[in-house]
Amino acid sequence: MTTDGSLDPESDSFDSHPPFYIGQHSSTRSETLTDTQHGQVLDRGFNFVTSPITNRHFFERVVALYKAHLTEKELWSRSHTTARPNPSLPGPVVPTLTDEDTSYFPCSYVGGIVAYSSPWIDLCSSNPDISSISRQVLNIEVAYANFCGARSIIVPGPRRDGSGSGVALYARAIQEALQAAGRTNLIIHMPMYREPGLEEKAETLTSLFEESNGPEDVDAGEIDLFSAWDSWNTIRLVCSYSTRLFYIAVRIPRRLPEMELQERWFAEPLHYLTIAQKTFQENRNGHPSLSRHHQGLINHYMRLKNAPWFILSDVGPAIESLEESADKMVTDFPTLTEANQTPKESRKSQMPNLNVFVAYLRHLERQQPPFSILETPNLTSFQDWVQSPLQPLSDNLESATYEMFEGDPVKYDQYELAITEAMAEWKVLKKPSAIGAVDANGNPELVVAVAGAGRGPLVTRVLRAAKKTGTSIQLWAVEKNQNAYVYLLRQNKQVWDNQVTVVKTDMRGWEGPQPKGYTNVRCKVDILVTELLGSFGDNELSPECLDGIQRHLAQPHGISIPQSYTAHLSPISTPRIFAELKTQTGDGDANAFETPWVVRLFAMDFVAQKVPGHARFQQAWEFVHPVDVLRADEFADENGVSAKFATAGGGSIAGSSGTNDHNARHCHLTFVCRTRGVIHGLAGFFESVLYAPQVPGKQPVEISILPDQIDRKSKDMISWFPIFFPLKTPLEFPQDSELDVSMWRQTDDTKVWYEWMVEVFAWAGPKTRIKVGTTELHSSRKIACLM
């Protein structure tokens, strides 16, 4: 803290924005920095450095090996009359490392070093000998770095994209290297796109022994922005979405591409952002800077739970300056004043040594927008973490779960507003009450029930709304959880002044309210309040629960809050979650890819675009309450309670009676994708109209978790994360294609489950669509929601 009480930006406790971790990389470095040199780099403001695994001596040994092999092939050709090469001739075998081949050894500061594999190998080479040597070198290097304790190894990505065999060769080599690396992560260094002039120009085995060197031969015409991403997608697909495989975010280009590509990379397992010296521009004072578009990209990417680290490439200090500094350190000793400085003063005295590029990034670090209310450490920890949806009907929730939901004031504020509007309009419209009673002012006394009361937050909001509107009410709180029932009784005595009648029962079996002053008399409910909504609206069986209690709602003027809710879908790319579910499948969860998961989706890409006639987020179906009472009564016994057993209908599922068929749903939606890509599942959202005013001119009271509506309808609401319907196999789609999504809400009167599938179509003519891909039909029936 400073003297005026504000946070000191240099204080270690200053955490109002994500911290930057900055590394240094030199493309010409061939030896690992010594302990002294490493310290000198850190003194210039860097947090870590990269290091080559092998040195120039090893490179020259490999070159000599290949030259000797070429000589042997030439001698064989001369000694045989046939012009056809012999494919059975043994290829070159790279020998093991010696101490002369590397200066990378286990050391005390190995944790501050990121290993960098040799940029001169060419895993994509069409020359089988060069690709074989390259693969051998990579395996030798990653195995040795793993032995030394390297936590991650950067591997330069393929220098060529396209439909040839090069990327496939590269991907196969990376898959093999993952086995050689043991526990170490491999990080693929990819460009965001192939920006002309910013491609890495490294001496390779191909450039030494072949006539062409890949990138220089690329057509300088139209740039395919997604070709580098295509290559990465092939690599991770061949490697089966290994959780030990990351990409090192793309040498950030000097000219940023369109937002679709930026969002595509944002969804990937990002570990580093690399920025070359060429990407920076000089400002008016001659200092390095980045454009506001680059700053926006950095601010966006740094909001990830595992925020990426930075690697500055070829920005200094040069190895020569490090050697000079090391020599000076031997002869120069600190003065008494310098020796007695505090750590903060010492840092300030070293500021002149700060690398100018690091200084600029530190400036950007301080200029980041502060964390918002939705970016608390607790909420951030939920990013892309899959959770099984709650089943409040079959499970009794714990107090901590209730408490977590109660921490969202926005939801309860909206509920209170809806209840207040309903009570206020009741007077304006002069509606009768269910019991026909009036208060001292002649206003009707309303019967209100909170069904599924939990620990009672909605009960409190009902009482506040009644006080605010001057409405006399008789209030019932219905809860089946016997543990929460105890808490409700305590709340009624200590907080609500015994104004509430607490009932322990499943709302579907409740006999209805018994008005005060009457014996053995039941009445109807004027306002029924519930909070049974799930991430998809209906996935916690709100329709089934309300079917069982709505018979107590007064007709025709009774009000259900909420009055309606809609489910919405959008296809997404989310490789992080797919990799996590693949790991769960390997650990024995056979239903991981047929479970609708609740996830705070963050590192993902909405692949569909909003076009005329096709929105990015589309409505799947809707539920409205109350349901037609006559329809509900068809399935009730003589006491008005819904029948659990009935003669099976001929066409119903699994021989069920069909009493819940009216809650089944189906949708078929078409999404338009302008760019090519891959989807890993469907993101589900909901909106709800809590109360639609009956007085003209008033807006409905709503809540929403739709990304394009939440700020307008219920800003900063955190009670619900989206739902995610995964795909067992990632589904690729071409440019300008359409994704047809089919989804069903199924029921057999004892449980509810979802089924979903996706088809890809491309246009072959003005009126002809051809199917180019499809998924299997997924079903959550084995882990269905029990009624």
Side-chain angles (χ1 to χ4, degrees):
M1 299 289 286
T2 60
T3 54
D4 62 358
S6 61
L7 281 170
D8 184 349
E10 295 187 10
S11 169
D12 295 335
S13 63
F14 185 74
D15 58 356
S16 65
H17 49 242
F20 283 11
Y21 294 94
I22 305 171
Q24 187 250 24
H25 171 70
S26 174
S27 61
T28 59
R29 184 182 298 149
S30 60
E31 299 285 349
T32 302
L33 297 180
T34 65
D35 192 353
T36 302
Q37 292 170 340
H38 180 258
Q40 288 294 304
V41 172
L42 299 188
D43 284 344
R44 275 133 171 106
F46 293 98
N47 301 107
F48 61 96
V49 296
T50 65
S51 172
I53 302 171
T54 56
N55 57 23
R56 189 73 182 177
H57 181 273
F58 181 66
F59 167 71
E60 292 172 352
R61 275 217 301 155
V62 173
V63 170
L65 174 72
Y66 185 55
K67 286 181 178 179
H69 174 71
L70 292 178
T71 301
E72 290 178 4
K73 288 179 66 176
E74 180 66 21
L75 291 175
W76 185 91
S77 299
R78 290 178 181 178
S79 62
H80 293 75
T81 56
T82 176
R84 181 183 178 186
N86 187 349
S88 297
L89 286 176
V93 177
V94 180
T96 187
L97 295 178
T98 69
D99 61 339
E100 294 183 346
D101 294 324
T102 180
S103 55
Y104 183 86
F105 296 100
C107 60
S108 60
Y109 55 94
V110 70
I113 296 177
V114 177
Y116 202 99
S117 70
S118 293
W120 46 264
I121 63 176
D122 188 359
L123 299 170
C124 296
S125 176
S126 57
N127 183 318
D129 291 329
I130 291 180
S131 63
S132 175
I133 290 175
S134 300
R135 179 181 54 80
Q136 294 177 61
V137 169
L138 179 62
N139 287 341
I140 289 173
E141 291 188 335
V142 298
Y144 179 70
N146 180 72
F147 161 78
C148 291
R151 291 178 292 184
S152 57
I153 303 169
I154 299 173
V155 183
R159 292 182 173 82
R160 296 176 294 279
D161 305 315
S163 57
S165 62
V167 175
L169 286 170
Y170 183 97
R172 173 63 183 80
I174 295 299
Q175 181 200 47
E176 186 176 294
L178 281 170
Q179 300 173 12
R183 296 181 299 272
T184 304
N185 296 322
L186 294 188
I187 304 171
I188 310 301
H189 194 176
M190 298 291 298
M192 184 169 278
Y193 70 97
R194 302 292 180 183
E195 184 177 26
L198 280 189
E199 283 297 315
E200 286 185 326
K201 293 180 174 61
E203 182 183 43
T204 66
L205 294 177
T206 301
S207 66
L208 285 174
F209 295 100
E210 303 288 335
E211 293 183 357
S212 63
N213 188 25
E216 279 107 7
D217 295 337
V218 176
D219 184 6
E222 183 178 354
I223 300 173
D224 185 350
L225 291 178
F226 284 83
S227 65
W229 178 86
D230 283 338
S231 296
W232 159 250
N233 187 47
T234 299
I235 296 165
R236 55 103 172 274
L237 186 62
V238 170
C239 296
S240 300
Y241 281 76
S242 171
T243 54
R244 289 174 45 227
L245 180 69
F246 298 85
Y247 81 90
I248 178 167
V250 294
R251 297 181 296 275
I252 298 299
R254 186 177 179 86
R255 182 175 181 180
L256 289 179
E258 56 194 40
M259 286 301 300
E260 284 90 346
L261 184 56
Q262 294 182 40
E263 291 299 312
R264 182 70 54 82
W265 284 113
F266 177 77
E268 299 295 345
L270 182 64
H271 194 29
Y272 293 112
L273 294 175
T274 64
I275 309 177
Q277 184 174 350
K278 299 178 187 176
T279 304
F280 288 90
Q281 305 170 6
E282 283 192 1
N283 61 17
R284 289 177 295 180
N285 297 322
H287 297 145
S289 65
L290 294 171
S291 72
R292 60 183 180 86
H293 298 292
H294 286 85
Q295 296 174 38
L297 178 142
I298 289 173
N299 290 339
H300 179 43
Y301 280 26
M302 290 303 293
R303 257 39 192 185
L304 289 163
K305 176 173 62 176
N306 297 315
W309 292 11
F310 294 87
I311 292 182
L312 296 180
S313 181
D314 297 327
V315 299
I319 190 69
E320 296 81 7
S321 66
L322 294 178
E323 293 172 350
E324 293 173 0
S325 299
D327 293 338
K328 185 177 180 181
M329 286 181 63
V330 175
T331 57
D332 289 353
F333 295 92
T335 65
L336 290 176
T337 302
E338 293 171 338
N340 290 319
Q341 285 179 335
T342 66
K344 183 184 294 186
E345 291 171 338
S346 178
R347 285 200 301 269
K348 289 182 177 179
S349 67
Q350 295 170 6
M351 288 296 287
N353 292 326
L354 193 66
N355 180 279
V356 292
F357 296 92
V358 173
Y360 177 73
L361 283 187
R362 294 299 178 201
H363 166 72
L364 290 187
E365 178 183 16
R366 295 189 294 270
Q367 296 302 313
Q368 290 179 98
F371 285 127
S372 69
I373 192 173
L374 300 180
E375 293 175 314
T376 63
N378 186 42
L379 284 175
T380 300
S381 68
F382 281 101
Q383 283 183 15
D384 302 312
W385 181 41
V386 295
Q387 307 169 75
S388 298
L390 296 175
Q391 290 208 34
L393 271 184
S394 58
D395 301 329
N396 284 330
L397 304 183
E398 297 178 354
S399 179
T401 304
Y402 287 121
E403 185 176 5
M404 181 177 63
F405 293 136
E406 292 166 11
D408 181 6
V410 177
K411 174 179 70 173
Y412 294 108
D413 287 347
Q414 289 298 96
Y415 261 95
E416 182 178 335
L417 178 60
I419 298 166
T420 301
E421 291 283 342
M423 289 180 174
E425 287 195 354
W426 200 287
K427 297 179 181 179
V428 172
L429 299 175
K430 300 187 183 301
K431 293 182 181 181
S433 72
I435 56 177
V438 295
D439 59 17
N441 298 320
N443 294 317
E445 185 178 25
L446 302 184
V447 178
V448 182
V450 177
R455 299 202 317 174
L458 281 182
V459 176
T460 299
R461 296 302 181 124
V462 169
L463 292 172
R464 286 172 56 172
K467 183 177 180 180
K468 193 181 299 183
T469 58
T471 303
S472 297
I473 62 171
Q474 292 190 26
L475 179 57
W476 275 261
V478 182
E479 175 55 50
K480 75 172 183 63
N481 186 340
Q482 68 271 17
N483 304 309
Y485 170 71
V486 177
Y487 188 88
L488 290 172
L489 292 175
R490 183 174 183 272
Q491 287 290 94
N492 194 31
K493 291 179 180 178
Q494 296 188 359
V495 179
W496 301 325
D497 195 25
N498 291 312
Q499 298 179 75
V500 184
T501 303
V502 182
V503 182
K504 188 189 78 64
T505 185
D506 187 314
M507 69 180 71
R508 296 169 296 178
W510 185 37
E511 296 179 355
Q514 180 176 317
K516 296 177 181 179
Y518 293 86
T519 304
N520 297 325
V521 174
R522 300 287 175 176
C523 67
K524 296 294 184 179
V525 174
D526 294 310
I527 300 177
L528 175 64
V529 183
T530 60
E531 54 171 335
L532 307 170
L533 300 172
S535 297
F536 205 45
D538 56 79
N539 60 292
E540 293 184 12
L541 305 191
S542 177
E544 285 71 20
C545 292
L546 289 175
D547 276 355
I549 196 175
Q550 70 168 9
R551 66 183 185 277
H552 299 306
L553 197 60
Q555 294 296 329
H557 52 268
I559 295 173
S560 171
I561 297 176
Q563 291 187 338
S564 66
Y565 36 91
T566 52
H568 301 256
L569 289 169
S570 186
I572 63 171
S573 173
T574 174
R576 288 175 181 264
I577 296 177
F578 180 84
E580 170 63 24
L581 296 182
K582 195 173 181 66
T583 301
Q584 291 191 21
T585 303
D587 291 341
D589 185 357
N591 299 314
F593 282 102
E594 293 189 302
T595 301
W597 299 96
V598 171
V599 192
R600 189 190 176 198
L601 296 169
F602 198 82
M604 53 92 187
D605 177 27
F606 291 111
V607 299
Q609 281 77 42
K610 180 180 179 181
V611 299
H614 299 283
R616 169 173 274 186
F617 308 99
Q618 297 185 31
Q619 180 177 318
W621 49 66
E622 180 181 20
F623 287 90
V624 179
H625 300 289
V627 182
D628 184 351
V629 173
L630 295 177
R631 171 67 177 169
D633 285 348
E634 292 179 15
F635 305 105
D637 60 20
E638 59 185 6
N639 296 318
V641 179
S642 297
K644 289 187 177 181
F645 304 100
T647 303
S652 56
I653 294 177
S656 63
S657 63
T659 57
N660 197 42
D661 281 0
H662 63 290
N663 286 325
R665 294 288 189 274
H666 167 251
C667 70
H668 184 84
L669 311 172
T670 298
F671 297 88
V672 176
C673 300
R674 186 171 67 90
T675 60
R676 63 183 181 270
V678 60
I679 68 167
H680 301 93
L682 306 170
F685 310 90
F686 85 93
E687 289 192 305
S688 175
V689 176
L690 297 179
Y691 180 69
Q694 300 175 28
V695 175
K698 289 188 175 183
Q699 296 297 316
V701 181
E702 300 176 88
I703 55 176
S704 174
I705 66 169
L706 267 175
D708 61 348
Q709 296 294 327
I710 184 171
D711 284 349
R712 185 175 67 88
K713 297 182 178 181
S714 46
K715 183 176 174 58
D716 294 335
M717 186 175 67
I718 58 174
S719 286
W720 292 274
F721 297 153
I723 198 166
F724 177 62
F725 299 91
L727 299 179
K728 293 180 180 178
T729 303
L731 183 62
E732 296 190 28
F733 54 89
Q735 183 174 323
D736 295 325
S737 57
E738 294 182 347
L739 302 180
D740 280 19
V741 174
S742 297
M743 179 168 280
W744 295 262
R745 187 184 197 264
Q746 301 280 40
T747 177
D748 63 1
D749 297 344
T750 64
K751 57 184 175 291
V752 173
W753 68 93
Y754 298 95
E755 296 175 355
W756 62 96
M757 65 179 294
V758 184
E759 301 165 282
V760 182
F761 290 90
W763 287 95
K767 297 183 179 181
T768 305
R769 285 200 320 166
I770 58 173
K771 184 185 292 187
V772 296
T774 187
T775 69
E776 62 180 275
L777 180 66
H778 299 67
S779 175
S780 64
R781 186 168 187 172
K782 292 182 180 179
I783 39 93
C785 297
L786 302 178
M787 294 170 56

